[in-house]
Amino acid sequence: MRHISIYSLTMLVMFSASAYAQIPKKFQASTNEITSSNLLTNVINDIVVQGDTIWLATEQGVSFSRRGTLAWVNLANTATFDSKGIAAIGIYGNTICAATGYSTSLGDASVATGGGLHISTDHGITWKYVPQPVDTGTVDTLWYGNNLIPALAITVPQQNITYDIAVTSQAIWTANWAGMLRKSTDNGATWQRVILPPDDLDEINPSMTLQFELSPVQKIYTVNGVKDTLRESNNHKVFAVYASNDSVLWVGTANGINKSTDGGTSWKKFSHQNQSKPISGNFVVAITEQQWNGHSIIWAATNNAVDPDEVKGVSFSDDGGETWKTALLGFFVHNIAWKDSIVYVATSNGVYRSDDFGITWSKNGSIYDAKSLQRFVDEEIYCVGAAGDTVFVGGIEGLAYTIDSPSNPFGSEWHIIRTCEQIGLANRTYAYPNPFSPDLNVARIHYSAQKISTSSNVEVSITLFNFAMQPVRTLLHNAPRNGGREYDELWNGKDDRGNVVANGVYFYSVTLDNGDPIWGKIMVLR
């Protein structure tokens, strides 16, 4: 994993972005008004839409935009927030819950770590901080009906990170990976572990006589000098949680999908192995529910777990989970959103759209902003959200949106919001990320054309040189650009012959019309 970033965590899983309130028919933002962004980061982990408010879980905190203005308010280093990344956001009415996550070093490995939760009950005006819920001791026993269930005590935030949140009128539910499924009925003051079926049981209820352990890992422990063992259950490694209402809950784990119809007491499990028409895979990282015109469809990101017969994809059910259909097989699905009859699925291969309840699918195509000349180079999309006819997507490349309406086909025109340091009239340039690896991404050379004119075209030339000042790549030669804007030009780390350059320091010059060159430096590190 990379340094302590939610971006590195989302390379493995992404988070549910469900809308918890009625979405207006037409989002109020004008696509012609977007000229810049004050987001703090280009890594977007989650998008949650509530009415006319867009909430973003980013690598540097929570950002939101109200009333469709797309003027972003960033909560990093304000109120209870620091600058840690946000792994998940859950909303119900005026209650908003945001979970932080980061990485810590454990030997030679970086370990996903829960950074606690920030909770607001007045729609984001004031916040309180709750440390990542942990337990004491080694093993507890939890009552379930007349059964005592041994339960592993999770005493540290490492591997105990909140990947998803569902908020109802009665509780906050969190999916915490090794921290298992938890709920709070007092806005985070206290938490309790929720008992799910183990791997070898497909359902549990309090009237059953049961003998199993609640534990995501195998644990050998000693009580009164006697050794005992907690068995590992992949179904206790929890990634996703969704609430249809106060009674009906859906939980995604590393062993399938669990459904409760009595507020989280009894559970029925759907896995790739226990149904004739099953989900595609048991590694479930997102769940949402599409409700429109009498249809109620559960959608889940169901990726492959341990069985070689499982496959990545999206699974969906219109009969409450009794049978499932699958689609987009072979693509890692991160996230799902919908509007009316249309569903959008964020995958490792871009965003896919279906307007016939999963029968046929179309892909977004290239995400390219013709006005700013920005583009998403990496196809992978982490999250998607729909606000009326406006569809937002996010990932490591930034935030982008398009209109999906009868007069504006989905993806026909994209607008990209990518944060960068504005140069204005300054006579300088910079590149980001820097250093960069051509194996992982591209370098963006940022410059301003405003020093020449505010309206007329400017001819731009960019040349890259090695440390000996020998030219290795002509990136642009007298390319026309509008004089009133700032631009990013992309370098993929290759020379003019198409070969990836060696590690080292490279210089570049930006020349506007016949002016003096502006110099910058890029370090290539593979």
Side-chain angles (χ1 to χ4, degrees):
M1 287 188 179
R2 290 172 181 260
H3 167 68
I4 310 308
S5 68
I6 292 301
Y7 156 57
S8 61
L9 304 178
T10 53
M11 297 296 286
L12 299 177
V13 297
M14 272 308 299
F15 323 106
S16 172
S18 308
Y20 292 89
Q22 182 65 35
I23 296 174
K25 295 298 291 183
K26 180 65 178 177
F27 189 61
Q28 298 301 310
S30 168
T31 59
N32 295 323
E33 294 175 356
I34 307 304
T35 58
S36 64
S37 164
N38 62 341
L39 291 174
L40 295 180
T41 175
N42 291 321
V43 181
I44 312 299
N45 298 320
D46 198 2
I47 301 171
V48 178
V49 177
Q50 186 195 40
D52 64 354
T53 303
I54 312 298
W55 294 88
L56 303 179
T58 83
E59 195 184 34
Q60 293 188 29
V62 172
S63 297
F64 68 89
S65 171
R66 287 191 172 131
R67 293 177 293 278
T69 62
L70 294 188
W72 299 99
V73 177
N74 303 304
L75 298 182
N77 297 314
T78 67
T80 62
F81 292 88
D82 53 20
S83 60
K84 290 186 178 70
I86 302 298
I89 297 176
I91 302 177
Y92 180 88
N94 287 323
T95 300
I96 305 167
C97 186
T100 60
Y102 58 105
S103 295
T104 54
S105 296
L106 186 62
D108 295 331
S110 293
V111 178
T113 303
L117 301 105
H118 303 266
I119 300 172
S120 173
T121 57
D122 54 14
H123 206 247
I125 297 174
T126 61
W127 296 83
K128 72 172 182 179
Y129 172 73
V130 176
Q132 191 69 21
V134 295
D135 310 308
T136 58
T138 302
V139 176
D140 302 320
T141 50
L142 306 179
W143 281 104
Y144 186 75
N146 292 321
N147 306 285
L148 273 176
I149 307 297
L152 179 66
I154 306 301
T155 60
V156 295
Q158 284 78 14
Q159 301 289 18
N160 172 20
I161 177 172
T162 301
Y163 280 118
D164 202 7
I165 304 170
V167 185
T168 70
S169 66
Q170 298 179 356
I172 298 173
W173 301 80
T174 60
N176 308 289
W177 182 222
M180 298 178 282
L181 179 67
R182 296 178 185 248
K183 78 170 183 177
S184 173
T185 56
D186 51 15
N187 286 322
T190 59
W191 296 86
Q192 67 183 75
R193 281 161 291 180
V194 180
I195 298 175
L196 294 174
D199 290 352
D200 58 352
L201 293 179
D202 292 334
E203 60 181 305
I204 58 172
N205 67 69
S207 67
M208 301 170 67
T209 299
L210 299 165
Q211 187 174 4
F212 67 89
E213 299 84 41
L214 183 69
S215 181
V217 296
Q218 180 175 295
K219 177 71 174 180
I220 300 174
Y221 66 101
T222 301
V223 177
N224 298 325
V226 179
K227 285 188 176 181
D228 206 344
T229 302
L230 299 184
R231 293 172 293 175
E232 174 185 9
S233 282
N234 286 326
N235 201 48
H236 298 153
K237 301 171 184 175
V238 183
F239 275 102
V241 57
Y242 175 81
S244 296
N245 50 52
D246 286 337
S247 299
V248 180
L249 297 160
W250 302 81
V251 174
T253 72
N255 192 235
I257 297 173
N258 300 264
K259 178 185 179 182
S260 174
T261 57
D262 58 4
T265 301
S266 305
W267 295 92
K268 183 176 182 179
K269 183 173 62 181
F270 309 113
S271 73
H272 183 73
Q273 291 76 22
N274 70 1
Q275 293 178 281
S276 59
K277 295 182 179 179
I279 57 179
S280 71
N282 288 341
F283 180 27
V284 183
V285 301
I287 305 174
T288 192
E289 183 175 9
Q290 181 184 16
Q291 295 180 327
W292 180 76
N293 199 24
H295 293 271
S296 177
I297 302 177
I298 292 295
W299 293 88
T302 50
N303 300 296
N304 57 309
V306 297
D307 192 327
D309 189 47
E310 298 176 27
V311 64
K312 303 177 182 73
V314 64
S315 301
F316 51 104
S317 172
D318 60 5
D319 58 7
E322 296 303 316
T323 61
W324 298 84
K325 299 176 183 177
T326 60
L328 305 181
L329 300 181
F331 300 133
F332 193 106
V333 174
H334 292 298
N335 192 232
I336 305 155
W338 59 275
K339 71 152 190 170
D340 298 335
S341 63
I342 303 171
V343 66
Y344 307 93
V345 178
T347 80
S348 58
N349 197 44
V351 176
Y352 285 82
R353 174 190 186 273
S354 176
D355 58 8
D356 52 15
F357 303 106
I359 298 174
T360 60
W361 296 86
S362 60
K363 189 182 175 184
N364 60 267
S366 177
I367 298 179
Y368 173 70
D369 188 328
K371 185 175 181 180
S372 67
L373 306 185
Q374 297 274 354
R375 70 172 65 248
F376 276 22
V377 179
D378 194 327
E379 282 192 316
E380 190 161 27
I381 300 298
Y382 293 163
C383 48
V384 58
D389 291 335
T390 306
V391 182
F392 292 86
V393 301
I396 191 175
E397 293 275 358
L399 182 71
Y401 67 95
T402 187
I403 304 299
D404 188 2
S405 69
S407 58
N408 294 277
F410 173 74
S412 58
E413 182 179 2
W414 286 96
H415 300 264
I416 294 175
I417 300 172
R418 179 176 287 118
T419 187
C420 59
E421 180 186 354
Q422 298 296 304
I423 293 175
L425 299 177
N427 187 32
R428 68 185 184 92
T429 178
Y430 64 88
Y432 68 100
N434 196 0
F436 95 103
S437 170
D439 298 327
L440 298 176
N441 46 34
V442 297
R444 289 181 162 86
I445 296 175
H446 188 85
Y447 66 95
S448 172
Q450 295 184 48
K451 65 186 295 293
I452 299 296
S453 170
T454 59
S455 59
S456 61
N457 281 348
V458 176
E459 290 187 344
V460 179
S461 297
I462 298 179
T463 304
L464 288 116
F465 303 84
N466 61 21
F467 198 76
M469 294 307 295
Q470 298 169 326
V472 296
R473 177 73 181 273
T474 300
L475 199 63
L476 296 179
H477 179 67
N478 292 337
R481 296 290 185 264
N482 187 292
R485 298 183 59 83
E486 297 189 15
Y487 294 91
D488 283 349
E489 309 294 351
L490 308 184
W491 181 41
N492 60 6
K494 295 182 178 180
D495 60 23
D496 282 327
R497 290 180 289 185
N499 300 316
V500 177
V501 300
N503 284 353
V505 175
Y506 291 82
F507 301 95
Y508 67 89
S509 65
V510 179
T511 302
L512 308 179
D513 286 338
N514 296 318
D516 294 332
I518 306 168
W519 290 93
K521 181 170 63 175
I522 304 175
M523 176 175 285
V524 175
L525 186 62
R526 301 177 69 187

